[in-house]
Amino acid sequence: SRNEQEKLLRTSSTLYIGNLSFYTTEEQIYELFMRCGEIRRVIMGLDKYKKTPCGFCFVEYYARADAENCMRYINGTRLDDRIIRCDWDAGFIEGRQYGRG
Amino acid sequence: KRRRVSENQEIEDRLESLILRVGEKSSSSLESNLEGLASVLEADLSTFRVKILRILTECAIRMPEKCTIYATLVGLLNAKNYNFGGEFVDYIVKTFKENLKTGKWNAARYCLRFISDLVNCHVLAASSLLTLLETLVDCANEDGVPQVRRDWFVFAVLSTLPWVGRELYEKKESQLDHLLVTIEVFLNKRSKKHWPALKVWSADSPHLQEEYLDCLWAQIKKLRQDNWSEKHIPRPYLAFDSILCEALQHTLPSIQPPPHNDGDTYPMPRVIFRMFDYTDCPDGPVLPGAHSIERFLIEEHLHNILEAYHLERKECAAQLLCFPYKAKIPLEYCIVEVIFAELFNLPVPRYLEICYGSILIELCKLQPSTMPQVLAQATEILFMRIDTMNVACFDRFVNWFAYHLSNFQYRWSWEDWEGCIQLDPEHPKPRFIREVLGKCLRLSYHQRVKDMIPETLAPLVPLKPEPIYKYSMEGAASLPGTEAAHRLVVCVRNKCSAEEALNVVRELPNPLRDGEPAAAHAAHYNPLKIDVFVQTLLNLGSKSISHSFAAISKFHYVFKILAESEEAQICVLRNVWELWQRHPQMVCVLVDKMLKTQVVECSAVATWLFSKDMAPFFTHNYLWEILHLTIDKMNKHVSKLSAELQEAREALARADSSSSDSEDESGSKKKKDQDKPTEEAVERMEERLEMAHTDQKRLFLIVFQRFIMILSEHLVRCDTDARDPDTHWYRSTVARLRQVFLVHHEQVQKYSSTLETLLFTQDLDPHILDVFHQFVALTA
């Protein structure tokens, strides 16, 4: 429900990262996002058919506070010459890594 | 009745907002705003007295830059209503004492400043304030308390003098002189053993990195020479002189600061970071000199803006750029110096490094005509002086610069630095470029870095970050493990189980058991098995970090079987390195993963890092990145266990104390009992924490012992070969030793006395021993 969704968002440590270049690698994402804290995992968004990166990913931190810092300091700055966007995410569920391509 | 309450609430909110906003930009003058507000508040004093006391005091603490505005307001209220003035004095004195008691040192300092400013507004008598200041300076002369405590009292008193020095000088000159003599005597005999450890540059030219109390003292002496007149603090009370001088003054009650208790913490000493003087700035307003009080006041104000807005980088940049006195100073230079001062602060910066980086980006965006140039000039200056830069600051400088470049298309006039290629590659300048390019590579990709660099600097570009898999390279046929490695590849590709993978390497001979039977006896592990397994598996997973992690977790069982002993774990690490040495980030991430999944222990990582194979890489940042992440892991483990234990103990105490509660609370009691840990559970937690402490102590002992060994060896070798021991390698390694002490000082402190008896003994080389003594002096 909407309420539950909002509650999840308030406590989540996962971020959706958008507007990535298709060529941006996991290593690059680690390098930048690590600067806000320890990362539990990165899940690359993949094209549904070609299974290649398609411009987004999920970054999950261990701590909520680190994700908050990421929203403060990384959201709207550049990676691979593109201004990336960070949004709260209620938590990664298998299958969501496949995007429109 | 409800309506009354909400009406009152509305008025209270309105008053609060009026008070908070006084002094902000407005169409009428500050004087008329203050006058108006004083009348409004006077009318409401009877109903909202407590609320008004609270808000005014909070404003004094939370907005120290508006100190004189609120002091004037209190002065005007006191002139209208003497009783209220008295109550306010009591209230702020109470707040001052509470802040002292709870160790809120900055809040206490701002209270004291406000109290002092009340003298300027004729709320308090000058003699009464001097008595308080004398009491505080007496605290600086207590025996048997930490120096950091005594320092704070002197700092608090000195930092009020820009506000009230003039008034005290006019009214009580001889008493003020006496106070200053006492402070000077204190400062002259004060130990500054900690000072070198905190300096951003070890060299004293062109700018001395002064110890903070020494610097403030020099500024106060200069202020005194100038007859206590300064040009930075706005003093709105001057306009109300005729009203204020009519008012009756109060006297302060006697204030005795709470005594020192073991476990109390005080602010750490600092150095004052300076990178600019007036010659660095273009024509226009002049940068105040290092010992002018204006420099202190401007810096403190800018630090306060950073503190207030650090959570909002855009607003922070905007606030910094609309600094109230910007027409009178070269503002961009002041801002850049203050931000780098925080970024380079030792032992650790106040906020995340990326916080400062992101604020600098916003500043460049907001002020594109000046900010990027000033920042480029700053970078050039930092680079020019990098030979003597503290290694922790060096790392932060590298990280910031690569990050900043990544936000501005990696544009930089690299040609200006071409000369560095002539220097010894271990010299800090080429090393800095190499490290920056390494970090840029991590944020972008190899071709990008090659393209942005002039041909002359190409030797500093790191190699393409690829795995080196020896079992598929030319000459692999002659290696003893190749055949097994190839079988393992097929096996893993066919989605084999962990057991099956283990079977493939099972038959490999143990090279340690060649020859003598004694050697065979000593071999607890098979390095060839580990070599084939680790390199092959990680090469198969080399496509990305996720692939590598998946491989480690799928074959975790095999790792655990092969790497039971510490030697075997070190062997695993050596093989990770052999495969990935051209991709330091991968090594860091994999070591981190292996620590988390307990494939290797912290002590194994430390021992490996200090092994002979790694010595040539001591001047590379990533080696230390791995060491620090390892120590951090251990520290976090200890902190987590001790927090859990603390929580369990409190839950136990709560449950016990409520067991005597009456019947009707049985519901909540049941709840508490459910959460209540058993005594045995708490005991087990205690044991676990104790074990973690033992491991932590062992880790630090390994790290420091290896440092001592490797440094002493170097010194002895240079002595026998009659060479100068003072090489780039030696300097950087001593600096790394210092960094371990500084970065992890809170944890290392617990083991100071063990370290002193076991490792840092008198027979050690004085250079190495000195590093330890400086660290001990930090909180002495």
Side-chain angles (χ1 to χ4, degrees):
Chain A
S1 76
R2 205 180 138 173
N3 252 341
E4 279 166 20
Q5 183 75 6
E6 272 172 14
K7 199 179 156 208
L8 281 175
L9 286 178
R10 273 198 307 276
T11 52
S12 166
S13 309
T14 303
L15 300 170
Y16 168 94
I17 315 299
N19 201 35
L20 294 173
S21 146
F22 286 15
Y23 298 102
T24 299
T25 63
E26 233 178 68
E27 279 108 307
Q28 288 169 279
I29 291 162
Y30 266 89
E31 178 61 25
L32 179 62
F33 287 85
M34 233 180 45
R35 293 176 181 230
C36 287
E38 212 179 330
I39 295 169
R40 192 196 290 274
R41 57 179 176 166
V42 170
I43 297 137
M44 296 301 286
L46 300 174
D47 180 288
K48 210 188 295 181
Y49 307 105
K50 290 183 278 180
K51 303 285 186 283
T52 51
C54 66
F56 72 94
C57 74
F58 298 94
V59 173
E60 186 181 345
Y61 287 95
Y62 282 93
R64 165 83 183 180
D66 296 343
E68 282 171 0
N69 281 330
C70 182
M71 287 297 283
R72 283 178 195 127
Y73 305 126
I74 294 184
N75 186 15
T77 64
R78 277 170 199 271
L79 179 60
D80 249 354
D81 294 321
R82 294 168 70 94
I83 297 205
I84 56 172
R85 198 186 76 226
C86 309
D87 280 305
W88 286 109
D89 190 272
F92 174 74
I93 297 163
E94 187 55 37
R96 288 188 55 210
Q97 69 267 49
Y98 300 114
R100 291 171 281 112
Chain B
K1 186 167 177 207
R2 184 166 291 163
R3 223 178 116 190
R4 269 286 299 283
V5 173
S6 73
E7 250 174 40
N8 273 354
Q9 187 61 46
E10 254 173 51
I11 302 175
E12 276 190 15
D13 291 349
R14 200 172 56 87
L15 287 179
E16 175 154 8
S17 134
L18 282 174
I19 297 176
L20 287 177
R21 282 171 34 213
V22 67
E24 285 177 11
K25 271 208 180 82
S26 137
S27 52
S28 41
S29 72
L30 175 62
E31 286 75 20
S32 74
N33 284 337
L34 277 172
E35 220 165 7
L37 182 56
S39 307
V40 171
L41 292 182
E42 191 204 1
D44 283 324
L45 275 186
S46 52
T47 336
F48 300 110
R49 178 176 302 265
V50 179
K51 175 87 178 172
I52 293 172
L53 286 171
R54 196 172 56 73
I55 300 174
L56 283 172
T57 307
E58 269 173 23
C59 287
I61 296 170
R62 296 237 184 105
M63 295 186 271
E65 69 282 358
K66 282 163 75 177
C67 171
T68 54
I69 295 174
Y70 291 111
T72 308
L73 185 60
V74 173
L76 291 173
L77 288 170
N78 182 54
K80 290 173 195 280
N81 185 331
Y82 177 75
N83 280 339
F84 178 78
E87 282 175 273
F88 182 82
V89 170
D90 289 343
Y91 196 88
I92 195 148
V93 164
K94 199 180 97 201
T95 313
F96 175 57
K97 284 183 177 164
E98 271 167 17
N99 283 321
L100 285 178
K101 212 162 119 190
T102 50
K104 292 187 180 129
W105 301 109
N106 254 342
R109 201 160 64 81
Y110 295 140
C111 279
L112 181 65
R113 173 184 300 177
F114 199 81
I115 291 171
S116 307
D117 210 21
L118 291 179
V119 174
N120 295 324
C121 303
H122 297 259
V123 177
L124 281 173
S127 58
S128 170
L129 176 69
L130 265 167
T131 311
L132 170 59
L133 298 183
E134 280 161 1
T135 314
L136 298 178
V137 171
D138 285 344
C139 288
N141 288 311
E142 284 169 18
D143 284 326
V145 298
Q147 179 173 303
V148 278
R149 172 184 166 92
R150 312 206 270 148
D151 288 351
W152 183 83
F153 285 101
V154 168
F155 180 59
V157 171
L158 283 179
S159 66
T160 63
L161 291 178
W163 276 261
V164 76
R166 176 84 195 181
E167 192 71 9
L168 297 179
Y169 164 70
E170 280 173 4
K171 299 223 165 99
K172 298 276 166 195
E173 192 184 349
S174 65
Q175 245 181 299
L176 176 63
D177 285 347
H178 181 252
L179 185 78
L180 292 171
V181 169
T182 319
I183 290 176
E184 187 164 28
V185 170
F186 168 81
L187 290 174
N188 284 340
K189 59 179 191 205
R190 173 172 175 260
S191 157
K192 282 187 288 182
K193 188 79 197 165
H194 57 275
W195 183 30
L198 298 176
K199 281 164 126 182
V200 174
W201 286 290
S202 56
D204 292 336
S205 76
H207 305 301
L208 185 60
Q209 309 290 296
E210 282 178 292
E211 214 279 336
Y212 79 117
L213 273 184
D214 286 352
C215 183
L216 181 56
W217 175 242
Q219 289 162 329
I220 291 293
K221 275 201 302 199
K222 169 96 177 21
L223 177 63
R224 184 192 195 181
Q225 271 169 25
D226 298 340
N227 286 323
W228 299 99
S229 70
E230 52 68 50
K231 297 190 280 293
H232 185 78
I233 303 173
R235 299 187 187 264
Y237 35 75
L238 295 178
F240 299 103
D241 196 42
S242 56
I243 304 172
L244 294 176
C245 71
E246 295 289 309
L248 291 170
Q249 290 165 322
H250 303 266
T251 50
L252 285 166
S254 130
I255 300 171
Q256 206 53 53
H260 172 71
N261 290 310
D262 282 344
D264 286 355
T265 54
Y266 302 90
M268 291 252 273
R270 295 173 288 126
V271 298
I272 302 300
F273 175 79
R274 299 270 186 234
M275 63 183 295
F276 296 127
D277 64 24
Y278 70 98
T279 59
D280 295 309
C281 310
D283 292 342
V286 177
L287 184 68
H291 286 164
S292 85
I293 199 70
E294 282 78 14
R295 194 78 170 260
F296 170 79
L297 295 169
I298 293 164
E299 281 166 358
E300 182 171 65
H301 195 162
L302 290 170
H303 283 298
N304 283 341
I305 295 178
L306 282 173
E307 182 178 4
Y309 296 99
H310 73 278
L311 297 179
E312 242 309 318
R313 63 179 206 259
K314 291 189 171 146
E315 183 62 18
C316 187
Q319 290 292 334
L320 288 168
L321 288 171
C322 71
F323 193 68
Y325 318 97
K326 62 177 178 184
K328 292 194 266 176
I329 53 169
L331 181 61
E332 288 86 352
Y333 289 85
C334 296
I335 293 175
V336 167
E337 193 175 69
V338 161
I339 292 183
F340 279 117
E342 291 215 5
L343 178 63
F344 293 149
N345 187 61
L346 294 166
V348 285
R350 184 153 60 147
Y351 307 120
L352 281 183
E353 289 174 41
I354 197 173
C355 165
Y356 302 109
S358 71
I359 293 170
L360 286 170
I361 291 170
E362 296 306 325
L363 286 165
C364 287
K365 285 201 239 168
L366 221 53
Q367 198 85 284
S369 58
T370 53
M371 212 62 202
Q373 282 94 312
V374 176
L375 208 48
Q377 190 184 345
T379 308
E380 194 58 51
I381 285 178
L382 293 173
F383 180 73
M384 290 306 295
R385 299 174 193 164
I386 206 161
D387 315 27
T388 63
M389 192 181 226
N390 180 300
V391 73
C393 303
F394 180 101
D395 291 354
R396 294 178 209 165
F397 182 28
V398 167
N399 285 335
W400 165 74
F401 190 49
Y403 165 79
H404 191 77
L405 288 175
S406 81
N407 270 277
F408 292 93
Q409 290 96 46
Y410 297 98
R411 279 193 304 246
W412 184 250
S413 41
W414 298 102
E415 293 75 16
D416 298 351
W417 290 353
E418 278 174 349
C420 293
I421 212 73
Q422 317 295 338
L423 297 167
D424 174 353
E426 301 286 87
H427 185 281
K429 278 185 181 169
R431 230 176 68 211
F432 174 76
I433 301 175
R434 188 185 73 206
E435 295 289 353
V436 167
L437 296 179
K439 279 284 175 183
C440 288
L441 176 65
R442 292 194 193 185
L443 287 165
S444 60
Y445 47 93
H446 196 245
Q447 193 59 42
R448 183 86 161 94
V449 175
K450 269 169 70 183
D451 291 347
M452 73 194 198
I453 278 288
E455 198 46 44
T456 41
L457 288 176
L460 297 177
V461 177
L463 295 167
K464 195 162 187 222
E466 313 170 299
I468 309 173
Y469 185 58
K470 64 182 173 194
Y471 293 116
S472 65
M473 293 200 310
E474 216 177 305
S478 62
L479 297 174
T482 304
E483 194 259 336
H486 290 176
R487 271 193 291 135
L488 185 59
V489 171
V490 176
C491 198
V492 172
R493 288 223 170 106
N494 288 330
K495 308 210 181 303
C496 70
S497 69
E499 275 294 350
E500 287 164 327
L502 194 57
N503 269 333
V504 174
V505 293
R506 180 150 292 156
E507 294 312 315
L508 285 168
N510 190 341
L512 294 183
R513 293 199 189 160
D514 280 355
E516 297 151 53
H521 184 70
H524 300 298
Y525 69 105
N526 183 336
L528 186 58
K529 278 189 194 176
I530 293 177
D531 182 318
V532 169
F533 173 73
V534 172
Q535 298 209 30
T536 303
L537 184 72
L538 292 181
N539 186 56
L540 284 169
S542 63
K543 196 176 165 213
S544 75
I545 294 175
S546 290
H547 285 84
S548 304
F549 284 2
I552 293 174
S553 66
K554 182 165 181 201
F555 294 95
H556 189 253
Y557 168 76
V558 184
F559 280 104
K560 291 301 269 187
I561 299 272
L562 292 181
E564 224 177 340
S565 67
E566 185 164 293
E567 290 143 300
Q569 293 175 11
I570 293 170
C571 184
V572 168
L573 294 162
R574 258 206 312 271
N575 281 290
V576 172
W577 174 253
E578 200 179 322
L579 182 77
W580 277 122
Q581 52 182 300
R582 289 193 186 163
H583 196 338
Q585 183 194 11
M586 204 54 147
V587 179
C588 290
V589 169
L590 287 175
V591 170
D592 185 74
K593 188 67 179 180
M594 291 183 166
L595 282 167
K596 265 187 208 140
T597 52
Q598 293 173 334
V599 170
V600 297
E601 279 163 52
C602 294
S603 52
V605 179
T607 311
W608 164 64
L609 288 172
F610 284 99
S611 65
K612 279 235 153 43
D613 313 345
M614 300 307 284
F617 304 99
F618 267 37
T619 50
H620 290 249
N621 285 10
Y622 50 78
L623 192 140
W624 305 100
E625 201 178 326
I626 299 172
L627 182 66
H628 289 295
L629 83 83
T630 305
I631 298 176
D632 275 338
K633 194 122 299 170
M634 177 58 89
N635 294 347
K636 271 190 194 149
H637 178 60
V638 169
S639 308
K640 188 170 150 257
L641 290 181
S642 83
E644 279 170 9
L645 175 64
Q646 178 79 9
E647 210 171 280
R649 275 183 185 151
E650 276 165 17
L652 194 62
R654 262 200 314 275
D656 286 347
S657 73
S658 67
S659 57
S660 55
D661 285 354
S662 57
E663 286 291 305
D664 49 276
E665 274 184 298
S666 59
S668 77
K669 184 176 164 340
K670 215 179 240 162
K671 171 88 181 65
K672 273 181 191 148
D673 276 353
Q674 264 171 14
D675 300 339
K676 180 186 162 182
T678 61
E679 305 259 358
E680 299 79 65
V682 173
E683 260 169 43
R684 272 199 306 277
M685 290 169 107
E686 279 166 356
E687 278 162 22
R688 281 224 305 276
L689 179 62
E690 202 173 307
M691 261 163 59
H693 272 137
T694 311
D695 287 345
Q696 188 184 37
K697 182 154 123 187
R698 177 154 174 267
L699 177 63
F700 281 125
L701 283 173
I702 292 175
V703 169
F704 291 123
Q705 189 208 28
R706 298 303 145 108
F707 261 119
I708 291 174
M709 274 164 54
I710 210 157
L711 286 167
S712 307
E713 237 172 68
H714 169 86
L715 292 174
V716 169
R717 224 178 20 244
C718 289
D719 195 43
T720 31
D721 303 353
R723 276 185 293 125
D724 181 11
D726 192 18
T727 61
H728 292 303
W729 181 92
Y730 175 72
R731 281 190 197 190
S732 123
T733 306
V734 171
R736 292 297 177 181
L737 168 62
R738 176 174 287 147
Q739 186 187 19
V740 173
F741 273 121
L742 270 184
V743 174
H744 307 284
H745 70 275
E746 279 172 29
Q747 304 291 330
V748 184
Q749 244 148 37
K750 295 187 286 196
Y751 310 114
S752 280
S753 61
T754 313
L755 290 173
E756 186 161 21
T757 31
L758 291 183
L759 295 178
F760 293 92
T761 45
Q762 290 307 320
D763 51 334
L764 214 56
D765 182 88
H767 295 94
I768 307 174
L769 197 56
D770 221 30
V771 175
F772 177 69
H773 287 151
Q774 286 166 13
F775 155 75
V776 173
L778 272 183
T779 49

